[in-house]
Amino acid sequence: MENLRWRPTVNEREFIEHALQSDLRVDGRHSFDFRKLKISFGREGGSSEVQLGETHVLGYVTAQLVQPYRDRPNEGTLAIFTEFSPMADPAFEPGRPGESAIELGRVVDRGLRESRAVDMESLCVVAGKHVWSVRVDLHILDNGGNLIDAANIAALAALSTFRRPECTVGGDDGQQVIVHDPEVRDPLPLTIHHMPIAVTFAYFGEGNIVVVDPTYKEEAVMGGRMTATINSNGDICAIQKAGGEGVMSGVVMQCLRIASVKAADITSKIKKAVDSYTTEKALKKVKRLPASLPQKINVTDVTMENKGDGELETQTVKASDVQNISKGDEDHRNMKGNSPLIGDRFAKHKQTSTFIGGPSNWDPYSKGVSLSSLRISQLPDPATTSKASSHEEAQPMLTESSNAEVKSTSSSGAAGESEEAQEMGSPKSLKDAVKPKHKRKKKKSDRS
Amino acid sequence: MEDTRRADGRSPNQLRPFSCTGNPLHRAHGSARWAQGDTVVLAAVYGPKPGTRKGENPEKASIEVVWKPKTGQIGRQEKEYEMILKRTLQSICMLTVHPNTTTSVVLQVVGDDGSLLPCAINASCAALTFAGIPLKHLTVAIGCGVMENGTVILDTNTAEEQQLKSFAHLVFPNSRKSVDSKEPKEKDEEFERGLITSVTHGVMSEDDYFNCIERGLAASSRISDFMRKTLQKEASSVDA
């Protein structure tokens, strides 16, 4: 099939160039304005969707334990995988990534890894044997121009909300790594020292005219481009100018100054979005905690080695357990069993589970909730069934299910449920961000 | 039949909340984001593009499906999904309208909590409609599972799929709505609504399988009503 890249017509090209000479952009922006940025997150941590004007990028972070590189035995690894999905642009073919895809991957990679934005040494578990390998998948869903900036923001947002499972070194020889289930021990956030923000400039008309955040039409018409990855402290993490129009050094310096201003602005937007997401999650978990706190529960750890046995193990402990505190979603996850390692597809399902209940205190931002009150493992009665999907469903569904379920031993069950029903009004999910056109409420079917 | 409660509190016939967003993407000719509970799939359609791939019949249009998982490399599972989707969509598209063209459908898994294949099929059917590709009828897909006591549960999620002995993904054509609303409903059910696609996992008895089909068929008319409303809303908003 022949090249399907969108090529501008002569009229479009001239229109864009002439408008820029009068300092007008086709979409009405000023030369140094970014488009509207919208960051939303998925159910589980580590999943982000960024919309920069028409450009749409999905970021997803996973981690697994691997052997470290020989020359860096006490550092974890970070890898960025970029997917130019054919849905973003008719010119993107599935299969081998084109040169712009590789360039994007390299620029984002340099900005994050080589600037040491993510702390690698904290990802080490057993030096020389086990370290966490963090993998960031960036899927370009819609090419509206300026993919590098949007992908960079998606990667940062996803890394900020990603939580890796906690693991301890133990066992007989002190070398065995035990990975803890997320509901047993709270998963930990990554240590991010600073946020390198990529700002892309497009040059027109022999390098005289500069605009920030070009749309795909402007990109097709531009003479050259430069991406400056800069953080809010003003440190330049990376500059990428691959060919194109020659630009005077004075103009380049001006661009860098503009970039540092923009970087500060975008950093605050990302931080705000991440903060609201994490506090929302923490609130949901805190509200699930009943007024009367139970006694200490036995903590089961799911060992890395035997995934199948681990499930049985948690279930037998459940049977012997007396207390029931959780609002049901804990055992929903326990029933899925399995280790929380993300390399496994099942673990991924666990992360996407409709888990809303169960307190855990991974959130570094929440104040006023004491560690001891939250760090209780939730291993409820096997008789309890969970109402994990209640997040999406309407209120009547919730009360109906709470009547039907056996929330046995906990006296605060009823109180907890009414709180949960209240909670229904406010929870936001990725779906809310997407503006569902037609929300289907619960379906009661009485088919024979 | 006894009132069995599922792990997440739904009754056996209860589906998760559905939502369909029309045309969230700007570059694609048609796109749809279909969510069933936590399972979310984004489908984009480009087409018809000129030319067919080698090996395809040039007298008909051909459909090309690309499935993108959320993470990891493309493996056999993804290839299988692509093949199932391609065959399903080929059966609903009117292939002779645009011969020697390729319509490509790209799917991106945004969230996976069970019933992924039915969600993807629903999303791609909606995306094809938004793109304006001529179709014979719509497809409605549903996942059904069989519990130990023989109850058929609809719209399985990941936990249920892992525990159940067997489950099936079924695709039906949409229910017909007659312009003359005086026709009684029973007559509609007499129409032979054949099964377009069926993918089963695990072992189930013949009776269980036919139970699944019967339940799926009943549920599919509700899903097709939902689809019809969404598509009508999109169409009217486009015209306005």
Side-chain angles (χ1 to χ4, degrees):
Chain A
M1 234 169 282
E2 70 271 23
N3 193 3
L4 297 159
R5 187 170 54 91
W6 177 82
R7 267 194 274 252
T9 58
V10 173
N11 284 345
E12 276 177 311
R13 183 184 288 272
E14 284 187 2
F15 184 78
I16 293 175
E17 285 174 352
H18 283 159
L20 280 168
Q21 278 164 11
S22 322
D23 203 26
L24 293 168
R25 286 173 86 168
V26 177
D27 52 0
R29 283 186 284 158
H30 294 299
S31 300
F32 301 124
D33 279 350
F34 258 87
R35 287 171 288 182
K36 183 159 163 276
L37 176 63
K38 183 171 152 203
I39 306 174
S40 48
F41 299 95
R43 245 333 187 27
E44 75 274 17
S47 167
S48 69
E49 270 193 56
V50 169
Q51 276 174 290
L52 181 63
E54 289 191 355
T55 303
H56 197 143
V57 181
L58 176 73
Y60 187 50
V61 178
T62 50
Q64 58 175 343
L65 280 172
V66 296
Q67 270 206 330
Y69 289 125
R70 290 249 178 132
D71 53 349
R72 298 205 184 174
N74 54 352
E75 278 187 17
T77 60
L78 174 69
I80 316 262
F81 288 85
T82 330
E83 284 267 7
F84 269 38
S85 173
M87 70 165 64
D89 198 311
F92 297 161
E93 297 274 323
R96 281 177 60 98
E99 35 179 63
S100 48
I102 295 177
E103 185 188 8
L104 190 152
R106 289 294 305 137
V107 171
V108 176
D109 192 65
R110 252 189 294 153
L112 282 175
R113 196 148 48 92
E114 297 187 16
S115 67
R116 310 230 167 246
V118 181
D119 186 43
M120 290 287 117
E121 286 177 1
S122 64
L123 296 177
C124 177
V125 182
V126 178
K129 293 256 180 83
H130 296 109
V131 297
W132 285 104
S133 166
V134 179
R135 178 192 165 118
V136 183
D137 281 283
L138 296 168
H139 299 280
I140 313 289
L141 300 177
D142 206 358
N143 181 11
N146 198 9
L147 295 172
I148 297 179
D149 294 9
N152 195 293
I153 296 173
L156 284 170
L159 284 166
S160 305
T161 55
F162 173 67
R163 301 286 179 261
R164 66 167 175 88
E166 185 174 337
C167 55
T168 49
V169 183
D172 311 321
D173 53 349
Q175 293 293 308
Q176 222 184 28
V177 179
I178 304 165
V179 181
H180 300 293
D181 222 40
E183 56 250 30
V184 171
R185 295 262 188 104
D186 308 323
L188 307 166
L190 297 172
T191 316
I192 299 179
H193 296 304
H194 61 93
M195 293 219 174
I197 307 285
V199 181
T200 301
F201 299 87
Y203 301 105
F204 299 84
E206 291 145 23
N208 305 331
I209 306 174
V210 184
V211 298
V212 165
D213 190 18
T215 61
Y216 76 94
K217 290 197 173 153
E218 289 170 339
E219 280 186 347
V221 173
M222 68 186 172
R225 79 149 92 207
M226 182 181 85
T227 302
T229 308
I230 204 165
N231 69 12
S232 48
N233 298 337
D235 302 324
I236 299 178
C237 306
I239 297 187
Q240 171 88 355
K241 187 185 188 305
E245 285 273 352
V247 180
M248 313 265 275
S249 55
V251 178
V252 173
M253 291 309 293
Q254 189 202 14
C255 288
L256 292 177
R257 275 188 284 267
I258 294 168
S260 64
V261 172
K262 294 294 169 194
D265 183 35
I266 293 178
T267 308
S268 67
K269 282 189 187 149
I270 298 177
K271 286 213 166 115
K272 206 161 56 152
V274 169
D275 282 351
S276 63
Y277 171 75
T278 46
T279 47
E280 211 184 279
K281 261 201 139 175
L283 275 172
K284 271 187 224 165
K285 290 178 180 174
V286 168
K287 275 203 173 152
R288 293 277 181 283
L289 191 67
S292 63
L293 295 176
Q295 299 92 4
K296 244 353 196 150
I297 309 285
N298 292 330
V299 171
T300 14
D301 297 333
V302 180
T303 61
M304 228 180 93
E305 283 77 38
N306 39 358
K307 289 177 193 172
D309 293 345
E311 181 174 359
L312 293 174
E313 191 187 329
T314 50
Q315 287 191 343
T316 49
V317 172
K318 266 198 298 186
S320 62
D321 207 352
V322 185
Q323 282 295 334
N324 163 38
I325 332 100
S326 97
K327 290 305 124 199
D329 300 278
E330 296 301 333
D331 66 344
H332 182 65
R333 292 234 310 213
N334 275 337
M335 285 201 284
K336 285 187 191 158
N338 288 335
S339 83
L341 285 196
I342 314 294
D344 186 9
R345 276 184 108 208
F346 289 124
K348 205 171 26 137
H349 296 156
K350 178 195 268 289
Q351 296 289 1
T352 59
S353 80
T354 47
F355 161 73
I356 357 151
S360 74
N361 184 27
W362 47 260
D363 174 37
Y365 302 99
S366 71
K367 305 174 183 71
V369 184
S370 70
L371 220 68
S372 57
S373 67
L374 290 181
R375 267 177 132 256
I376 297 165
S377 138
Q378 312 299 316
L379 295 172
D381 235 335
T384 37
T385 48
S386 80
K387 347 177 228 156
S389 65
S390 56
H391 176 90
E392 315 278 8
E393 285 162 24
Q395 299 246 9
M397 164 61 191
L398 212 56
T399 48
E400 174 219 328
S401 65
S402 63
N403 290 336
E405 278 155 7
V406 186
K407 283 294 176 202
S408 52
T409 56
S410 170
S411 58
S412 56
E417 265 135 39
S418 61
E419 277 173 21
E420 196 173 29
Q422 272 172 358
E423 186 55 34
M424 263 311 298
S426 58
K428 295 254 178 281
S429 72
L430 195 57
K431 200 150 63 73
D432 293 312
V434 165
K435 245 191 330 170
K437 289 288 178 120
H438 183 95
K439 191 97 182 196
R440 188 198 184 92
K441 295 302 172 192
K442 60 166 176 129
K443 167 188 120 83
K444 278 289 248 291
S445 163
D446 35 85
R447 315 236 171 234
S448 58
Chain B
M1 102 152 51
E2 69 271 29
D3 187 32
T4 44
R5 285 283 156 179
R6 296 152 74 167
D8 55 3
R10 288 186 279 156
S11 72
N13 284 335
Q14 191 166 359
L15 306 174
R16 289 175 288 187
F18 278 41
S19 78
C20 175
T21 316
N23 290 320
L25 304 178
H26 300 95
R27 296 298 296 279
H29 296 152
S31 53
R33 185 194 179 105
W34 189 280
Q36 284 178 208
D38 274 335
T39 305
V40 183
V41 176
L42 184 59
V45 170
Y46 281 97
K49 291 186 279 196
T52 49
R53 291 213 183 276
K54 224 176 135 178
E56 299 273 358
N57 186 357
E59 289 182 22
K60 291 191 175 171
S62 75
I63 312 249
E64 178 200 357
V65 179
V66 181
W67 178 289
K68 293 264 176 214
K70 200 163 184 189
T71 185
Q73 287 192 324
I74 301 213
R76 282 198 290 260
Q77 174 79 289
E78 285 73 37
K79 292 285 179 205
E80 186 194 349
Y81 285 148
E82 286 179 7
M83 188 266 299
I84 295 172
L85 261 151
K86 179 178 163 153
R87 302 250 183 102
T88 308
L89 297 176
Q90 263 174 348
S91 71
I92 63 162
C93 289
M94 293 171 67
L95 298 173
T96 49
V97 178
H98 300 295
N100 204 17
T101 61
T102 305
T103 303
S104 63
V105 182
V106 186
L107 292 122
Q108 172 70 52
V109 177
V110 178
D112 182 8
D113 189 30
S115 287
L116 185 61
L117 187 60
C119 187
I121 293 175
N122 288 332
S124 26
C125 177
L128 282 171
T129 324
F130 291 134
I133 307 290
L135 304 174
K136 290 179 210 154
H137 52 77
L138 302 175
T139 57
V140 173
I142 182 112
C144 313
V146 179
M147 295 182 89
E148 287 81 22
N149 55 9
T151 339
V152 173
I153 53 176
L154 295 177
D155 201 14
T156 49
N157 60 18
T158 319
E160 291 167 347
E161 283 179 3
Q162 281 171 8
Q163 289 175 330
L164 290 176
K165 205 176 45 158
S166 59
F167 58 96
H169 298 310
L170 304 167
V171 184
F172 301 97
N174 65 327
S175 61
R176 275 173 254 191
K177 193 172 177 180
S178 108
V179 173
D180 177 15
S181 55
K182 289 198 211 101
E183 266 182 61
K185 264 208 162 140
E186 291 85 27
K187 210 173 168 194
D188 207 45
E189 254 127 35
E190 279 177 24
F191 276 99
E192 261 309 310
R193 296 224 279 132
L195 182 65
I196 301 178
T197 303
S198 149
V199 182
T200 59
H201 295 89
V203 180
M204 58 170 88
S205 70
E206 229 183 284
D207 291 329
D208 285 340
Y209 182 63
F210 286 117
N211 271 345
C212 280
I213 293 184
E214 189 208 319
R215 282 305 176 87
L217 201 58
S220 69
S221 57
R222 300 283 280 216
I223 304 176
S224 67
D225 282 342
F226 165 73
M227 215 188 236
R228 179 176 283 121
K229 273 188 230 156
T230 318
L231 297 176
Q232 277 175 342
K233 215 185 276 197
E234 270 304 312
S236 60
S237 67
V238 163
D239 290 336

